[in-house]
Amino acid sequence: MEPKGDIALIGLAVMGQNLILNMADHGYTVVAFNRTVSKVDEFLNDQAKGHDKVLGAHSIEEMVRLLKKPRKIMLMVKAGKPVDEFIETLLPHLEPGDLIIDGGNSHFPDTIRRTKYLEGKGLLYIGTGVSGGEEGARHGPSIMPGGSAKAWPLVKDIFQSIAAKTPDGEPCCDWVGDDGAGHYVKMTHNGIEYGDMQLICEAYQLMKEGLGMSNQEMHEAFAEWNEGELDSYLIEITRDILAHQENGEYTVDKILDTAGQKGTGKWTGVSSLDLGIPVTLIGEAVYARCLSAMKDERVAASKILTGPDCKFTGEKKAFVEDIRQALLASKIVSYAQGFMLMREASKEYKWKLNYGAVAMMWRGGCIIRSAFLGKIKAAFDRKPDLRNLLLDEYFHGVIDRCQPSWRRVVRSAVEMGVPGPAFTTALAFYDGYRSERLPANLLQAQRDYFGAHTYERIDKPRGQYFHTNWTGRGGTVASGTYNA
Ligand code: 6PG
């Protein structure tokens, strides 16, 4: 009998199951397999019941036998060792030209390594970001594939048909680039997700503690924000979370204030340090989660350390609008930083990323989906080689408009003693980025003073290095110059 399977999917946790059902709904025959084989029958008899396009396999051999050639096998398993283990398990059953796809949140250096490894064996490999949680997987995720370029035509139709669509009907899925490019873009997406969430949390804390607003009032503010420039999935769920009650009590008030994290935000921060790009807002967002997790220490410190005791005295409604504008301006900085990072990574890893296409992939389906990403797409359509989002006429105009509010919010937060690390760092970055002259002249002098590290001069061409004998005691010998 001719094999019928268009693609196999290994890993029947909720994301895997929902992707299978989504593919089946779009007319693809999907072979389902799971390491704990009993899960296959559970799935067939439950969620996949009645779907004749979903076939179950009870062994790797059976799964491979059911697939048309070249075989396409997608892993939806935990990132890290399980991916390598499955690759090794699959290898003896595959032939040159077959394709393995990793749809988990893998770290991009692993994807670079695995692509090279499998291409060396004549196989094809894709590492793809899949964003949107359970709902997205079932009804339209954002999909960010990278890896062996030759593999793209094999899955393009499947991926683009199951992906979310932008309001213009474009699929939120396109080829990102070689080896680890897809997972890098997904990692950056997650870093930006951390930043967006942190900004919303800071807005919430300012409203709650600074303005003394009730959950209902905050729910209404977020509902209003979601109708305008901030229209996005994360604002929308925040609106709903704030109104949610269990047994007559607000659920959000019962949740312990310690944030978890699985590492993708941290990877973004680490990569930004490796590449020398100041992605400060995501960094602060990761650190804010770390600080929140030190609950016992904070409780103890709160009994000893003091701060200002001032309450907000101005016009509340106007300040809520200031917070909205501060959030928008900070968000622009965060995305500008994220795209700066991808630009540098694209250069470093030779990926030729298409930034407009990235914005389009994030426009729908994923956790950071928003109307705002449509504006970013438009900015890259206007100028594909745009150096920095802050320099785009639209975003530059929004920042100009929001700036007075943004500064008032940062000032008030500092005065009231309400922490606003993401709002604050965004503004500091903005002021640094627009500075023709920064105090690094003094810093270079300090380095030269204590370590003869040399400096460049404003009255000499770049690339010439000078050393001053600052104390009269040092010699004229300078240390070598290099930048990490
Ligand atoms: C997505 C999300 C998802 C991520 C979770 C949890 O795009 O669907 O980014 O991939 O794993 O949001 O991340 P943290 O546990 O690190 O918050």
Side-chain angles (χ1 to χ4, degrees), residues 15 104-105 129-134 142 144 186-187 189-191 193-194 197 259-266 289 365-368:
M15 289 292 285
N105 265 333
V130 179
S131 177
E134 316 172 20
S142 157
M144 300 151 245
K186 175 59 167 55
M187 176 195 81
H189 162 283
N190 280 27
E193 171 186 306
Y194 276 51
M197 292 166 81
Q261 49 184 322
K262 297 205 189 74
T264 45
K266 180 185 88 177
R289 289 195 189 195
C366 63
I367 304 294
I368 62 170

Side-chain angles (χ1 to χ4, degrees), residues 435-447:
S435 291
E436 190 184 333
R437 199 161 158 80
L438 285 169
N441 52 328
L442 175 59
L443 191 133
Q444 286 294 79
Q446 291 165 337
R447 292 177 69 236

